[in-house]
Amino acid sequence: MKPLAILACLALCLALAACGARNTASNVDAPGASAGVSTRVLEAGADALQAKPPIAALNAYLDGFHFYNGNLRGQMEAHHYCAILNAELIQCVIYDGNVKDAKLMGVEYIVSARQYQSLPAAEKSLWHSHVHEVRSGQLIAPGIPAVAEKALMQKLIGTYGKTWHTWHTDLHKTLPLGVPQLMMGFTADGQADAAMVAARDRHFQVDSAEKRRQRADIPTPAIVPGADAWQHGTVIQLADPTGMRHGAPASTDTATPATSRPAR
């Protein structure tokens, strides 16, 4: 493995250990009775006696932003807890906060450019690039040293993500209602809500603009054709039989493509 890749992996492994200083609460309070003594005893017993290898492998913490595919105005912060399966595949669980009762919003799979390039054309439409997220400073790894974070971003800039959100707490849904929604990442300046980014920066005491400057010398890979398909008029989304509206309809959002294709 190249030294850069080794450093990036070390940065990932260090991320969780250093991220706990600043907590983000969940967007919603889920309904239900408070845990009683018996529930807490069961929880403590399970924690002490049961091994949890897949959970223990979540050794990286990334914070960024997503929007609903087909609705650029439906934006939210996303807390990623990730496991490196190998040098070309990372899997993440996504929460609406970084506290114990944060709600599990969805999942993201991240692949290398080589893996992405091998996908069928129809599959490629489900994935988004990470070039702008990295170069803009919007994607961060809270708590790790700047040099380690930059090395990590050099690894991530050429990757591609497929993200589904299953609990829409940004809409203040107190239960996981409706169907999963395909999410995308920002690809240009002016797309992300500046107030949302500024609030995140204040919370973590970071400066996205400064991170942009620090990352200016990271080589920018060409984006493989097929990614970020929403920019080219292809919007794939699951039809929701519950009729849930995920923000403003695409027909009234001038920043979204004019045509769409539901996934079934």
Side-chain angles (χ1 to χ4, degrees):
M1 183 181 290
K2 295 180 180 179
L4 179 60
I6 294 173
L7 181 58
C9 289
L10 287 174
L12 280 169
C13 294
L14 287 170
L16 272 186
C19 74
R22 304 192 178 281
N23 294 327
T24 301
S26 174
N27 290 331
V28 299
D29 291 323
S34 299
V37 174
S38 60
T39 300
R40 290 195 294 270
V41 169
L42 287 172
E43 181 183 34
D47 186 54
L49 299 175
Q50 291 184 313
K52 309 173 188 68
I55 305 303
L58 298 176
N59 55 16
Y61 174 36
L62 299 169
D63 185 82
F65 305 96
H66 294 156
F67 66 90
Y68 292 104
N69 192 18
N71 174 22
L72 192 55
R73 291 188 292 186
Q75 306 179 9
M76 73 290 298
E77 185 179 356
H79 300 261
H80 302 61
Y81 291 86
C82 306
I84 305 170
L85 297 182
N86 57 51
E88 296 186 85
L89 178 60
I90 299 171
Q91 60 182 12
C92 307
V93 289
I94 302 169
Y95 290 85
D96 68 347
N98 59 4
V99 295
K100 184 177 180 181
D101 68 346
K103 308 309 181 293
L104 176 60
M105 289 202 301
V107 297
E108 179 166 359
Y109 301 99
I110 299 173
V111 298
S112 66
R114 187 185 73 86
Q115 295 280 20
Y116 177 75
Q117 204 153 17
S118 71
L119 299 175
E123 173 67 25
K124 286 179 178 177
S125 299
L126 301 172
W127 298 72
H128 61 271
S129 65
H130 290 137
V131 170
H132 180 73
E133 292 185 59
V134 169
R135 290 193 63 83
S136 66
Q138 292 174 6
L139 183 64
I140 64 173
I144 64 175
V147 64
E149 185 187 56
K150 185 173 181 179
L152 172 57
M153 294 303 154
Q154 287 177 295
K155 178 179 177 66
L156 292 174
I157 193 170
T159 61
Y160 296 81
K162 179 166 71 170
T163 305
W164 292 95
H165 279 195
T166 54
W167 191 339
H168 312 297
T169 64
D170 60 292
L171 303 178
H172 302 289
K173 302 300 180 183
T174 56
L175 289 173
L177 307 177
V179 300
Q181 294 288 295
L182 185 65
M183 312 303 290
M184 288 287 141
F186 299 112
T187 57
D189 291 341
Q191 293 176 350
D193 180 358
M196 174 182 68
V197 178
R200 188 283 304 272
D201 284 4
R202 287 193 301 272
H203 183 81
F204 285 108
Q205 293 187 350
V206 301
D207 184 343
S208 295
E210 177 59 27
K211 289 186 180 294
R212 177 197 288 264
R213 288 189 288 271
Q214 293 171 356
R215 299 172 186 178
D217 61 345
I218 296 179
T220 303
I223 296 174
V224 179
D228 309 312
W230 64 273
Q231 295 185 117
H232 309 291
T234 299
V235 174
I236 299 174
Q237 203 55 271
L238 294 175
D240 194 331
T242 70
M244 183 183 298
R245 302 289 291 275
H246 297 274
S251 61
T252 64
D253 189 342
T254 57
T256 56
T259 61
S260 64
R261 175 161 58 92
R264 301 190 185 280

